[in-house]
Structures are given as structure tokens and as C-alpha cells.
Amino acid sequence: MLTQTIIQHLDAVRKQKPLVVNITNYVVMNNTANALLAIGASPIMAHSQQELGEMMSFSGALVINIGTLDSAWTPRMIYAVEQANVNGKTVVLDPVGCGASQLRTETSREIARLAKKLIIRGNASEIIALAGEQAQSKGVDALDSSDTALGAARSLVSEYGASVVISGATDYVVFKEQVVKLNNGHEMMPYVTGMGCTLTALTGAFAAVGDDTGLAAAAVLGVVGEIAAEKSRGPGSLQMNLLDELYQLDSSVLTKRLKLQ
Amino acid sequence: MLTQTIIQHLDAVRKQKPLVVNITNYVVMNNTANALLAIGASPIMAHSQQELGEMMSFSGALVINIGTLDSAWTPRMIYAVEQANVNGKTVVLDPVGCGASQLRTETSREIARLAKKLIIRGNASEIIALAGEQAQSKGVDALDSSDTALGAARSLVSEYGASVVISGATDYVVFKEQVVKLNNGHEMMPYVTGMGCTLTALTGAFAAVGDDTGLAAAAVLGVVGEIAAEKSRGPGSLQMNLLDELYQLDSSVLTKRLKLQ
Amino acid sequence: MLTQTIIQHLDAVRKQKPLVVNITNYVVMNNTANALLAIGASPIMAHSQQELGEMMSFSGALVINIGTLDSAWTPRMIYAVEQANVNGKTVVLDPVGCGASQLRTETSREIARLAKKLIIRGNASEIIALAGEQAQSKGVDALDSSDTALGAARSLVSEYGASVVISGATDYVVFKEQVVKLNNGHEMMPYVTGMGCTLTALTGAFAAVGDDTGLAAAAVLGVVGEIAAEKSRGPGSLQMNLLDELYQLDSSVLTKRLKLQ
């Protein structure tokens, strides 16, 4: 039944081609724009306060990623979230490196508090740090395994009314007392920069067509990443094949491959 | 005859390896630098007002792309255009998202008014919006077909003394009462981010060796994109193959493939 | 014997997965983060003064690359170097375009003077300009051959107590009166943007595990670039294959291919 819902959301993205506004980090702008295009959505990367109001009025969702955080950008992120709120749009927050610096932890919390409709996508260490528990991170990479972040995710669901996606070797989607576990993906994926950021961006596309859980994006990227990695000699090929597979993905492959419980 | 001119310009780019200064958006900086290198030109991505004067003095052309527009960058763009004017160099303007926000529309017009030697490269909706007509855009993507922008392009030619390239399923190059129609390209191309930006950057390389129309770049990218897409499973492969084909392109293939009228 | 040391450093990077903080240019952020991941290191791309102190306290090295220099970023670079000094970490400086503008020449020198443990990686023209001699550059590309920069490199070694890597058709690693010459690499490599920046980033990873010369990174990238280029139709494939080969590289291939004297 969950699988059917995921497929319906995938079809909806391809049919509606939703606009997704992204304020994201410099490292992954190209990849995440390409991933959104490959799945059928329409990315806008914008960060000027003078236009974010207009843009949120005709877009389907807002993605905020703090990967290369800068005090000059924080007010723009805040403003964009306010505009998403005014327009009733979902905000997808990627708290990159939350816990690795005070600045990142505090900025992530400020955005989470502000957003009315919120999905949080992070690795285990980021989710744990965002919830105020003690995380074991190494820079922007997680040292905690996904299941250790389940308690933190539940507390974020309750504190912010958010849905939470914990990504890692196993992904968990946590929303309203429900937990879905996803066992797709591939061990080569962490060797490509911004794989989590790509999941966050796709979550924005699915939110724009009505998936307020983050589940469809996690399912799609897990399956597609797995297929792409199987064809790849290394992370260079994987980055390329991932876009091809997002573009080629059909519902029968998704159904056959998907391991969720 | 047009084909011969295009081939001469391609040879000239490879021989002269012109320097092209780019003030462009964060999303495509890597792609457009790589496209310029692959065709044989020499890209400089710079945006500091303290060095743009020096750089325009020894470079062949200036590319201004407003894809991730920011009020902190606008004065630098203006300054760079002034320096291009002082040095008699062509400015290639990519009015990304013109019409999608007031900020973009106004900034595009300010740059177009200022540049003395100007080529404008946009999709149909951007060209229509820049000319002050009513466009149908969806974020930064065009909903108008290229031929509907011909009138707008002609009015830009007359208003700014510019040459105008409208890119889309069909490309049009409009200059001094003349219109060239190009029927190359591939339907997979819009699934790669910044394909239009790449055309704009290449237009800068050809402008630096004397093509003040934008025609050679449109011909080259149309043919190369078509060849690359035929070999590609999806947009990831296409992005990679495009650079390989730009590097490999020879004049006989170009002549054989080119569909212009 | 040098080869054994290089292999030990490669093993150490893969085992220790050192964190490398990068303040680098927009064009190559994605490539250099991916190269660091592919070799086994852990990249952080950060530029906020509010967090660089924390980040240098738990990272292994600092990479400063001035490719898209901006007066707003210079104080952050300076601050990061000071924090690297406080924490006893090596600074790897990439003086991109040194000599192409006054701004770049002066900023490069300021950073070189400030860093206590320093490796400089540049092309011949940049090294010559940094040493105050007359270089022949073309924008950010070198027109001088590597061997003509040997005198300049020696004077940088003596002036700044630095190790210097001159990259080009032949690479030279110059440190404490010693010079190592490397004859790997491939003529297709300059057709990919940021290949030098990738070398600089890898130099940071090896510095973090104890190579204060830059030799291991130059050896690895020379060999890997050569292998990748032999498999590539053009620069698009090369960029992809390079990451795959970094990921796949083993010590026997490195030993067999390495041409150093």
C-alpha cells in the first residue's frame, strides 16, 4: 500500500513538473538541480531576498540546505521560510553539519521552529544533534548509525510537528508515531558528495505534489542509487548513472526493488 | 556559406584559445568552464570588482548570466560591462528567469541598455519578457515556443542594436533584419541543468574571435548536443558526452549534421 | 624509497579518513569534494568566520584556493589560516591566477606570509608571479613550462619555509633544497577545469596524515589522471573516470606506473 502511494507520487511529479525553490550549498547546486530535472521536476536556485517572495508564490515547495552556511545567507533563508509559510508551502530542511558547529546547530533550530509545514532530512548525527542529544559526527559525516537516531527523530516530530527522514545504510522515515524502514541503497553512495542533499532536493519535489512525509523521495533515491551503483566502477560513474536512472525509473522496477518495512 | 563561416569561427577558437570572462551563476560554473575548455577556449570565472578591469583588458569577451542573481553581484556585473565597453569587447547576456521576477527583468534590461556590443541568448519566455511583452514562463523554464518570440527578438535587435539567440526545440538567431533557423538539438537536452547557460558561454568564445551574431555557438551546441544525446541513456550521460563531443567535433561532422535555414 | 613513502601516505589517508577544510572557488567545489571522498578523505567546504575556528580544531589540514576571489572572502581565508596556525595544521595554498591581477598576487602573498606550515601548489606562471618574477600567463592558465619555475619555487621554499608543487606537463615537488620530478599525467588533463585545484585538495588530505611535501598527492593524481585519460574520449569522460580511478587505485598500480626521479 505504501508502495502504491509512492508510485502515485512519482507519477504526479512527472505529470505536474512542480517548481521547487532551493536555497542550498555551493557544492551540490549542480547535482541537485540535475536530480530534480531528471525526476521530472523544475528547479529554481535563488537566494535574493528581492525575489524569493514572488518565487514562493508560484512554486510548490522550498528546500533549505545549510551546507555552506554564511551569515549573509541566513536572513534570506529565514525570509524564504516566512514566504513559504504565507503561501502554505512545505519547507524541507537539510541541517548539514548540525552539531559540527554551534552556528549550524542554532541556525537549523531557528529554521525548524519557524517553518509551519516541515520535513527534516539528515544523517543520524545531524538528527541527534538537532534534537539536542549528544551526537558523534566527523565534520559533516555521521558516525552514528541510523537506528540510534530514532528517539531523536521522534522528539523532532513531536517538537516541530515535522516529518523526519534519517538517511544512512538504512533509512528511516518517521512521522506521526509511524516509522517506515528502508533497506535500499549501496555502500558506494557516501563516496559521492551531496547524496544526502540530493535526497533533500527530491523530497522537495515530492512535497510539492503532496507527499508530506519524505517517504517517496527516500524510496526513489534508495532504489535508484542501488541500481546506479551496481553499474558503476566508482563514485564518478555513480554520480552520472544516478541521473540516468532517475530519468529512466519506472514503477515496475521501483516495486520490484523496494525493500520497506 | 553560413556553414563555412561557422567552421572558420570554430577553427579560430581552437587556434586563438580566446580568454572569456564569465560572471555567471553558481549552478553552472563548472559546466560552462568545462564547455569553454572543451571547445578550445580559456575561461576565467571572476567577480571581484578589484580585478575585473584588468581582466577585461586582456580578455576577448564578457559573459553575464543572472541565474543566481544577488544584489551584491549586480554592481560587479555593471562594472564588468563598463570595462568591456571601454575595451571594445562584446557582452553576451543570459537573462535567466527574466520575467519570473521583477528583479531579473529589471537587471536584464539595465545590462542590455549599458552594453555597447551585445548578444542576448535566452529561451523564448525570457526574450519575450525582456522585450516587455507578456511571457508564459514556469520559473526559469520557458513555456513559450521559440517562434512566438521572433517579434520580441526583432524588437530587441532594434532597441539595443543586439544580436539575439532564442533557444528551444528550434533555435533562432536574429540579427540586423536577418533570421537564421536551426533545427538541431535533442529533446533530452532540457533535462540537463544549464544547457542554455552553456550556449551562452560558448557564444562568448565565438564572439571573442569575431562572431558577433551568436550563430556559430548555436550551431555547434545544437549539433554536439544531438550527437551526445543519441549516445546517452539519460541526462547524466548527456552532460558527460556533451563535453567529449565538443572536444572531438570536427568540421566534416558539423557540416553533415547542421540543419539551418 | 620515495615510492614506499607515497604508498604509506595513501594507506594512511584511507585508514584515517582525515577531515580537510576547504575554502575554495565556486567552480571546483563539487569536483574537489568528490576527489577527497574518492581517495578516502572527508571534505568540509566552509567559509563562515563563525565556525572556522571550531572546524580547524578538529580537522587535519586547511586548503585555501583563491580561484573566485572576493573581498568578502579574504578575511575569512586569513582567519582560517590563523586558526590553522593555532592548531598546528598545514595550510595548502592554491594561488589561482596569481599574476593575472594585482589582487590575486597580493592576496596570495599575504596568505603565504601568514601560514606557519605551508605547501604551495600552482602552475609555473603562478609560482613565478608569486615569487615576484615576470610570468607569462594567459588568464588563469600557464604559458611558462614547469622547469622555468624551478628558481622561483626555490625562492618560495626559502622565503616562506614552504614546500612547493609546480604542476604542468612535468610536475616538480620542491622542498628543503630537494627537487623531485614527476613525469606522469596526460595532455588531456588541462581540458578539465580545476585539475590543479583537485591536486591542491588532495595535497590537503595527504598533509593531514603527515606528508608536508605535496609529493604523495602529485604522484597519485599524475598516475590516476594518466590512467583515466587513457580510457576517455574527451574531458567529460576524464572528469568521471578520474574519480573512479582515485577510488580504485591500489599500491601495485601506483608503483608500476609512477615515473619519478
Side-chain angles (χ1 to χ4, degrees):
Chain A
M1 212 179 76
L2 282 176
T3 304
Q4 273 317 106
T5 311
I6 292 165
I7 288 169
Q8 281 161 14
H9 284 131
L10 177 59
D11 292 344
V13 166
R14 284 177 172 157
K15 200 164 174 184
Q16 298 176 35
K17 297 187 174 299
L19 285 167
V20 182
V21 172
N22 297 265
I23 306 185
T24 188
N25 71 72
Y26 300 121
V27 184
V28 304
M29 282 192 186
N30 188 269
N31 307 41
T32 59
N34 271 327
L36 285 167
L37 285 169
I39 201 66
S42 193
I44 302 180
M45 320 318 259
H47 61 277
S48 174
Q49 211 157 317
Q50 295 158 276
E51 63 179 5
L52 281 164
E54 278 167 275
M55 290 199 166
M56 282 320 304
S57 74
F58 56 70
S59 295
L62 173 67
V63 172
I64 301 281
N65 176 310
I66 65 162
T68 48
L69 193 56
D70 186 324
S71 53
W73 282 46
T74 312
R76 299 159 180 211
M77 293 177 172
I78 299 295
Y79 178 75
V81 173
E82 288 168 351
Q83 293 300 311
N85 287 346
V86 165
N87 290 282
K89 304 296 164 59
T90 298
V91 175
V92 185
L93 170 65
D94 191 329
V96 183
C98 185
S101 76
Q102 274 293 328
L103 177 70
R104 288 175 189 240
T105 308
E106 283 162 18
T107 306
S108 301
R109 284 183 191 153
E110 188 177 357
I111 291 166
R113 268 194 305 270
L114 189 62
K116 285 189 182 158
K117 297 171 72 175
L118 177 66
I119 305 175
I120 300 164
R121 200 294 313 165
N123 64 38
S125 302
E126 290 158 353
I127 296 301
I128 290 172
L130 186 57
E133 299 174 17
Q134 193 57 45
Q136 297 179 281
S137 65
K138 181 172 181 181
V140 295
D141 297 320
L143 292 181
D144 302 287
S145 71
S146 302
D147 57 322
T148 63
L150 277 170
R154 281 197 193 92
S155 80
L156 294 175
V157 169
S158 120
E159 184 173 357
Y160 299 113
S163 174
V164 178
V165 180
I166 314 164
S167 56
T170 303
D171 294 340
Y172 291 95
V173 182
V174 185
F175 54 102
K176 298 181 210 131
E177 308 300 309
Q178 201 179 341
V179 177
V180 182
K181 185 176 174 181
L182 291 143
N183 284 306
N184 292 97
H186 193 280
E187 58 177 19
M188 201 195 279
M189 291 172 76
Y191 287 89
V192 178
T193 194
M195 203 51 95
C197 306
T198 295
L199 176 49
T200 305
L202 294 177
T203 302
F206 286 101
V209 299
D211 180 8
D212 56 3
T213 66
L215 179 59
V220 163
L221 191 68
V223 167
V224 160
E226 190 175 291
I227 297 171
E230 288 167 7
K231 299 179 176 178
S232 299
R233 273 201 86 218
S237 308
L238 175 50
Q239 189 166 33
M240 180 192 76
N241 287 325
L242 187 86
L243 295 174
D244 286 1
E245 297 302 329
L246 280 170
Y247 179 80
Q248 291 284 350
L249 181 66
D250 67 39
S251 53
S252 66
V253 171
L254 186 64
T255 306
K256 212 171 77 183
R257 286 270 190 164
L258 197 58
K259 292 178 214 147
L260 55 75
Q261 65 195 65
Chain B
M1 213 179 75
L2 282 177
T3 304
Q4 274 317 106
T5 311
I6 292 166
I7 287 170
Q8 281 161 14
H9 284 131
L10 176 59
D11 292 343
V13 166
R14 285 178 172 158
K15 200 164 174 184
Q16 299 177 33
K17 296 186 174 299
L19 285 166
V20 182
V21 172
N22 297 265
I23 306 185
T24 187
N25 72 70
Y26 299 122
V27 184
V28 305
M29 282 192 186
N30 188 268
N31 307 41
T32 58
N34 272 327
L36 285 167
L37 285 170
I39 201 65
S42 193
I44 301 180
M45 321 317 261
H47 61 278
S48 174
Q49 211 157 318
Q50 295 158 276
E51 63 179 4
L52 282 163
E54 279 168 274
M55 290 199 165
M56 283 319 304
S57 74
F58 56 71
S59 295
L62 173 67
V63 172
I64 301 281
N65 175 310
I66 65 163
T68 48
L69 192 56
D70 185 324
S71 52
W73 282 47
T74 312
R76 299 158 181 211
M77 293 176 171
I78 299 296
Y79 178 76
V81 173
E82 289 167 350
Q83 293 300 312
N85 287 346
V86 166
N87 290 281
K89 305 295 164 59
T90 299
V91 175
V92 186
L93 169 64
D94 190 329
V96 183
C98 186
S101 75
Q102 273 293 329
L103 177 69
R104 289 174 189 240
T105 308
E106 283 161 18
T107 306
S108 301
R109 285 182 190 155
E110 188 177 357
I111 292 166
R113 268 193 304 269
L114 188 62
K116 286 190 182 157
K117 297 172 71 175
L118 177 66
I119 305 175
I120 299 165
R121 201 294 314 164
N123 63 38
S125 302
E126 290 158 352
I127 296 302
I128 291 170
L130 186 57
E133 299 174 17
Q134 193 57 44
Q136 296 179 283
S137 65
K138 181 173 181 179
V140 295
D141 298 319
L143 291 181
D144 301 287
S145 71
S146 301
D147 56 323
T148 63
L150 278 170
R154 281 196 193 93
S155 80
L156 294 175
V157 169
S158 120
E159 184 172 358
Y160 299 113
S163 172
V164 178
V165 180
I166 313 165
S167 56
T170 302
D171 294 341
Y172 291 95
V173 182
V174 185
F175 53 103
K176 299 180 209 130
E177 307 302 309
Q178 200 178 343
V179 176
V180 182
K181 185 176 174 182
L182 290 142
N183 284 307
N184 292 98
H186 193 281
E187 57 177 18
M188 201 194 280
M189 291 173 77
Y191 287 89
V192 177
T193 193
M195 203 54 94
C197 306
T198 295
L199 176 50
T200 305
L202 294 177
T203 302
F206 286 100
V209 300
D211 179 8
D212 56 2
T213 66
L215 178 60
V220 164
L221 192 68
V223 167
V224 159
E226 189 177 291
I227 297 171
E230 287 167 8
K231 298 179 176 179
S232 299
R233 275 201 83 219
S237 308
L238 174 51
Q239 190 168 32
M240 180 192 76
N241 287 326
L242 187 86
L243 295 173
D244 287 0
E245 298 302 328
L246 280 171
Y247 180 80
Q248 292 285 350
L249 182 67
D250 67 38
S251 54
S252 66
V253 172
L254 187 63
T255 306
K256 213 173 74 185
R257 286 271 190 162
L258 197 58
K259 293 179 213 144
L260 53 77
Q261 64 196 65
Chain C
M1 210 180 78
L2 282 176
T3 304
Q4 273 318 105
T5 311
I6 292 166
I7 288 170
Q8 281 161 16
H9 284 132
L10 176 59
D11 292 343
V13 166
R14 283 176 174 161
K15 199 164 173 183
Q16 299 176 34
K17 297 186 174 299
L19 286 167
V20 182
V21 173
N22 297 264
I23 306 185
T24 188
N25 71 70
Y26 299 123
V27 184
V28 304
M29 281 191 187
N30 189 269
N31 308 41
T32 60
N34 271 328
L36 285 167
L37 285 169
I39 201 65
S42 193
I44 302 180
M45 321 317 260
H47 62 278
S48 174
Q49 210 157 319
Q50 296 158 276
E51 63 178 6
L52 281 164
E54 278 167 273
M55 290 198 165
M56 282 320 303
S57 73
F58 56 71
S59 295
L62 173 66
V63 172
I64 301 281
N65 175 310
I66 65 162
T68 49
L69 193 56
D70 185 324
S71 53
W73 282 47
T74 312
R76 299 159 180 210
M77 292 176 172
I78 299 295
Y79 179 75
V81 172
E82 289 167 350
Q83 293 300 311
N85 287 346
V86 166
N87 290 281
K89 306 295 164 60
T90 299
V91 175
V92 185
L93 169 64
D94 191 328
V96 183
C98 186
S101 75
Q102 273 293 329
L103 177 70
R104 289 175 189 239
T105 308
E106 283 161 18
T107 306
S108 301
R109 285 182 190 154
E110 187 177 358
I111 291 166
R113 269 193 304 269
L114 188 63
K116 286 189 181 157
K117 297 172 71 176
L118 177 66
I119 305 174
I120 300 164
R121 200 293 315 164
N123 63 37
S125 302
E126 290 158 352
I127 296 301
I128 291 170
L130 186 57
E133 300 173 17
Q134 193 57 44
Q136 298 179 282
S137 64
K138 181 171 180 179
V140 295
D141 298 319
L143 291 181
D144 301 289
S145 71
S146 301
D147 56 323
T148 63
L150 277 170
R154 280 196 193 93
S155 79
L156 294 175
V157 169
S158 118
E159 184 173 357
Y160 298 114
S163 174
V164 177
V165 180
I166 314 164
S167 56
T170 302
D171 295 340
Y172 291 95
V173 182
V174 185
F175 54 102
K176 298 180 208 130
E177 308 301 309
Q178 200 178 343
V179 177
V180 182
K181 186 177 174 181
L182 290 143
N183 284 307
N184 292 97
H186 192 281
E187 58 178 18
M188 201 194 280
M189 291 173 75
Y191 287 88
V192 178
T193 193
M195 203 52 95
C197 306
T198 295
L199 176 50
T200 305
L202 294 177
T203 302
F206 287 100
V209 300
D211 180 7
D212 56 3
T213 65
L215 177 59
V220 163
L221 192 68
V223 167
V224 160
E226 190 176 291
I227 297 172
E230 288 168 6
K231 299 180 175 176
S232 299
R233 272 200 86 220
S237 308
L238 175 50
Q239 189 167 33
M240 180 191 76
N241 287 326
L242 187 87
L243 295 174
D244 286 1
E245 298 302 329
L246 280 172
Y247 180 80
Q248 292 284 349
L249 181 66
D250 67 39
S251 53
S252 65
V253 171
L254 186 63
T255 306
K256 213 173 74 184
R257 286 270 191 164
L258 197 58
K259 293 180 214 145
L260 54 77
Q261 64 194 66

